Amino acid sequence: MKQRPWLFLLPALLLVSLSAFIPLITVINYSQLTILPGTEPYFAGLENFVAILEDEAFQGALGRQILFSFLVLITEIPLGLGLAICMPKEGPWVGVCLVLLGIPLLIPWNVVGIIWRVFTRSDIGVLPAFFDWFGYSYSISSSTFDAWWTVLVMDIWHWTPLVVLICYAGIQAIPKEYYMAAKIDRASPWKTFRYVTLPNLRGVLIIAVLLRLMDSFKIYAEPFVLTGGGPGSSTTFLSTYTSRMAIGGFEMGRGAATSLIYFFIVILFSFVIYIVMLNLGQGAGGDQ
Amino acid sequence: MGIRVENLHKSFGTEKVLDGINLEIPDRSFFSVVAPTGAGKTTLLRILAGIEPADAGTVYYDGQDMTDVAVQTRSVGMVYQKFINYPSLTVRENLASPLQVSDQNHSQEEIERRVQETAEMLQIDHILDNLPEEVSGGEAQRTAISRALIKEPDYLFMDEPLANLDYKLREGLRSDFERLFSEQDTTVVYATPQAGDALAMSTHIGFLHDGNIIQAAPRDEMYFRPRHLPVAEFLGEPPMNVLPATFNEDNTGRYFELDDGTHLEAGSLSALSPGTEYLLGFRPQDMTLTENGAGTTIHPELSFVETVGSTSTLHMHFQGKEIYALNEDPVHRKTGSAIPFALDPEKFYVYDSESGDLVAAGEQIPSFSQQHSPFDG
């Protein structure tokens, strides 16, 4: 009879193993093999991993990925938090703001890519025409810089609302008494933010940062549609690299190994950031 | 340094929360605003402190109109039901924070001395280096109270500060309050739905009912001379018993007739008109267990007995109403049995059945000279 709790967990366990665990094992298996079309797979050991880690294209993609995720976090988190603070806290405008913020989140990734692709087309696009006024020749297909910041702005446009919504919910949950107490203490707006809003939002911010970190690491469809990873490989991120390796290059073994490396990088980064944020601001009161 | 309130109004949407409040809070008093939950105590306190504006009306501190004085520049402290401390600062830093931002430049040594003093006064000096989330609820609330007290404010507002604490901590803080505020030069306004808290700590009590302070007076006067029925029914643990009764006088004497025909002697109660229905109030403490069913006796039916130590609270049914009696000795009776209680007419309160105003009070009840007393003659 002691085993009974397990019975209740069984369906969920089955589902999780089918949807996640078994594929993961399969990928681990593939990563050890060299699979070429038309031949029997043969055991390759860690060869695939070594080859990928030594691949300059992979190193480039990883570097771009880290830079991209870093830029995403340092823009979207403060921007989202700022917007959440500025949002009305009650009244009819709350609904309007929430709907407006929700719209980008409702659009599928590839559609977002297509929308921005139309924006940036050299013949009918808004952006090239706009920059033309200022005498700047904007071209997403030939300028690495233009391609980069366009992908970044697209991601900010698409995902900052999520950060806003998370932070807004967190702010609404802070008891008003904290602000009254700060007011009676004559705390300045900055100090109120620093010692009331920020510490009370810590848990919420950890969630927002982790979600955005993991999601930005997984970015695929938007740059794929918008730039196709170019010009050159300047907007090729880890996901693009992986899919090219596995599907485009017919190297399933390498693709599987890339996926695993990719997987561990995401876990590692998330873990480090989580630990850092958990300890951040604990007892940090000395700098007032 | 008292507070005077004139004709204060406040509505939220269509709901009138405060409807023309007039109130005088004496200097250095411990003034409890008592009312059931949701009656507007918090709103009243916030307006008095200056955190929230009133729709109409004026608040005076020490005779000075405070309407345009921002809360930041007032000498006030506030303690809330929730334990409000800066979460990322230690208890020590929390205590120091009101001093660090104040206009008077306090030296570092002075801040440290006052933090230490205040912490010792509220017995939290052993947790000064902890974060608020690491200390118990009682300690967190002591920290919040210290934060309010360290500025030595002229006015301290406390909004149900004991509500989120368990019984033992409540008792501890309650006695702390009595000790603390008898020594301080602070006028304390204390909101609570607990009649017991108010009666234990206050020097003065005001009762908030339907958006008005319907009675405000020194504590004992509030208890012994509740001028309106809601005050009588609320102030007291257990509450005052109230029964409808018709006053009559004939050749057998002056008496109240209850719904079941029982006659209760009216004693020397005056200013009553024969044939009129009144609401008759008597405190659970004033009911005496009796064996002979003489004169002024009722026979309520026992529901259950609550015994704390040697004192028993009897919960009983009488004429479809719940009534209570306190007995000094443990009571062992069967549930459902009728228990004879003698009532002393000289300890009766008689209320008008329409308006709920006090019409007469028994001679044995301590009296208070009051200039506006409605039963002065």
Side-chain angles (χ1 to χ4, degrees), chain A residues 185-197:
Chain A
D185 283 352
R186 296 171 220 191
S188 62
W190 162 249
K191 277 195 171 167
T192 307
F193 171 75
R194 169 70 182 78
Y195 294 109
V196 174
T197 311

Side-chain angles (χ1 to χ4, degrees), chain A:
Chain A
M1 292 314 273
K2 265 190 177 171
Q3 309 303 319
R4 195 185 268 174
W6 282 102
L7 289 177
F8 291 97
L9 287 175
L10 209 58
L13 279 178
L14 266 173
L15 220 68
V16 170
S17 59
L18 279 175
S19 66
F21 197 60
I22 292 173
L24 183 65
I25 299 284
T26 319
V27 169
I28 292 174
N29 181 29
Y30 284 170
S31 70
Q32 312 291 315
L33 303 173
T34 296
I35 308 167
L36 294 170
T39 60
E40 274 291 297
Y42 60 89
F43 184 70
L46 294 176
E47 211 175 89
N48 285 329
F49 291 93
V50 175
I52 286 156
L53 290 174
E54 284 177 349
D55 184 0
E56 277 177 21
F58 171 79
Q59 292 163 4
L62 177 61
R64 281 189 290 278
Q65 184 68 69
I66 292 171
L67 178 63
F68 178 74
S69 290
F70 174 72
L71 290 175
V72 159
L73 287 183
I74 63 159
T75 17
E76 289 183 14
I77 299 296
L79 186 62
L81 180 59
L83 285 173
I85 289 171
C86 297
M87 257 179 74
K89 301 292 178 279
E90 52 191 6
W93 287 102
V94 173
V96 176
C97 287
L98 289 178
V99 168
L100 285 178
L101 283 168
I103 288 175
L105 296 174
L106 293 173
I107 306 174
W109 294 268
N110 50 350
V111 178
V112 171
I114 290 167
I115 293 174
W116 280 78
R117 179 141 196 192
V118 174
F119 276 176
T120 55
R121 275 179 67 127
S122 55
D123 49 357
I124 57 163
V126 179
L127 282 179
F130 176 75
F131 285 110
D132 213 34
W133 281 355
F134 301 96
Y136 178 76
S137 156
Y138 172 93
S139 167
I140 197 167
S141 54
S142 61
S143 159
T144 302
F145 176 72
D146 287 348
W148 251 90
W149 74 252
T150 309
V151 172
L152 193 64
V153 168
M154 177 175 66
D155 195 85
I156 292 167
W157 173 81
H158 195 182
W159 288 111
T160 304
L162 179 73
V163 181
V164 179
L165 292 186
I166 293 173
C167 291
Y168 184 69
I171 290 172
Q172 293 289 63
I174 300 175
K176 306 227 174 338
E177 285 86 350
Y178 277 104
Y179 293 97
M180 295 180 189
K183 206 171 166 187
I184 290 179
D185 283 352
R186 296 171 220 191
S188 62
W190 162 249
K191 277 195 171 167
T192 307
F193 171 75
R194 169 70 182 78
Y195 294 109
V196 174
T197 311
L198 212 49
N200 276 306
L201 280 184
R202 198 159 57 104
V204 162
L205 280 174
I206 290 178
I207 292 171
V209 166
L210 286 182
L211 277 179
R212 284 315 299 134
L213 175 77
M214 290 187 277
D215 264 359
S216 67
F217 250 87
K218 293 191 294 191
I219 187 166
Y220 178 73
E222 302 103 309
F224 183 77
V225 174
L226 182 63
T227 64
S233 59
S234 59
T235 55
T236 300
F237 299 112
L238 274 182
S239 59
T240 331
Y241 175 85
T242 309
S243 75
R244 277 207 190 129
M245 183 65 71
I247 300 158
F250 294 105
E251 292 189 70
M252 294 307 266
R254 291 264 167 104
T258 318
S259 306
L260 281 180
I261 295 173
Y262 189 10
F263 178 56
F264 284 115
I265 290 173
V266 174
I267 289 187
L268 184 75
F269 270 82
S270 305
F271 182 72
V272 168
I273 292 221
Y274 176 69
I275 294 299
V276 168
M277 288 197 69
L278 211 56
N279 294 307
L280 205 69
Q282 285 279 35
D287 57 344
Q288 45 180 324

